[in-house]
C-alpha cells in the first residue's frame, strides 16, 4: 500500500481547531496560563481576574506598587505572552 497524500498531524490538528473555531480560545487560554510564569509568582499573587476581550488582556491588581511595576513592563509583557502562546493573541494590557 502506497501513501501518497500524507500530512503532518500538527497541521491537521491546527486546521481542525480553526474549522471548529477553537484556535483563538486555545491561544487565549495559553496566554492566561503563561501569566504567572511571565510576571513571576510573587507578582502574580497580586493579580486576579485575568480576561481577554478584543485582543486586550484585562488584569485586576490589588497592590498599587505592583500595578506601577507592571505598567512599566507592559510592552515587554505583551511580547513575551504572545511568544509563549505561539501567536499574536493580545495587543495590549489594561491594569485595574
Amino acid at each position: 500500500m502506497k501513501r501518497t497524500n500524507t500530512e503532518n498531524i500538527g497541521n491537521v490538528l491546527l486546521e481542525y481547531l480553526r474549522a471548529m473555531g477553537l484556535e483563538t480560545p486555545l491561544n487565549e487560554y495559553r496566554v492566561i496560563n503563561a501569566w504567572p510564569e511571565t510576571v513571576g509568582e510573587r507578582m502574580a499573587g497580586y493579580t486576579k481576574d485575568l480576561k481577554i476581550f478584543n485582543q486586550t488582556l484585562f488584569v485586576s491588581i490589588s497592590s498599587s506598587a505592583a500595578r506601577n511595576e507592571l505598567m512599566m513592563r507592559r510592552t515587554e509583557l505583551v511580547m513575551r505572552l504572545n511568544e509563549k502562546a505561539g501567536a499574536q493573541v493580545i495587543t495590549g494590557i489594561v491594569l485595574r
Side-chain angles (χ1 to χ4, degrees), residues 20 41 46 48-49 58 66 68 79 83-85 95:
M20 299 304 292
E41 292 296 327
Y46 294 114
K48 61 180 180 176
D49 297 331
F58 292 88
N68 288 338
M79 184 184 69
E83 192 175 282
K84 290 186 187 228
L95 305 167

Side-chain angles (χ1 to χ4, degrees), residues 2 10-11 15 28-31 35-36 38-39 45-47 49 51-52 62 64-65 71 84-85 89-92:
K2 184 177 177 183
N11 293 338
E15 287 178 28
E28 290 174 354
Y29 176 80
R30 288 176 180 157
V31 165
W35 178 258
T38 304
V39 298
Y46 294 114
T47 63
D49 297 331
K51 298 175 187 162
I52 298 175
S62 61
S64 61
M71 286 285 261
K84 290 186 187 228
V89 181
I90 60 172
T91 57

Side-chain angles (χ1 to χ4, degrees), residues 22-38:
L22 298 173
E23 182 180 23
T24 301
L26 177 62
N27 287 336
E28 290 174 354
Y29 176 80
R30 288 176 180 157
V31 165
I32 291 173
N33 278 344
W35 178 258
E37 180 184 338
T38 304

Side-chain angles (χ1 to χ4, degrees), residues 54-91:
N54 287 341
Q55 292 187 326
T56 302
L57 176 63
F58 292 88
V59 182
S60 296
I61 303 176
S62 61
S63 166
S64 61
R67 181 180 300 111
N68 288 338
E69 183 177 334
L70 291 174
M71 286 285 261
M72 291 187 291
R73 296 176 52 201
R74 274 193 301 194
T75 306
E76 172 201 349
L77 292 173
V78 167
M79 184 184 69
R80 289 180 63 198
L81 288 167
N82 283 330
E83 192 175 282
K84 290 186 187 228
Q88 180 161 349
V89 181
I90 60 172
T91 57

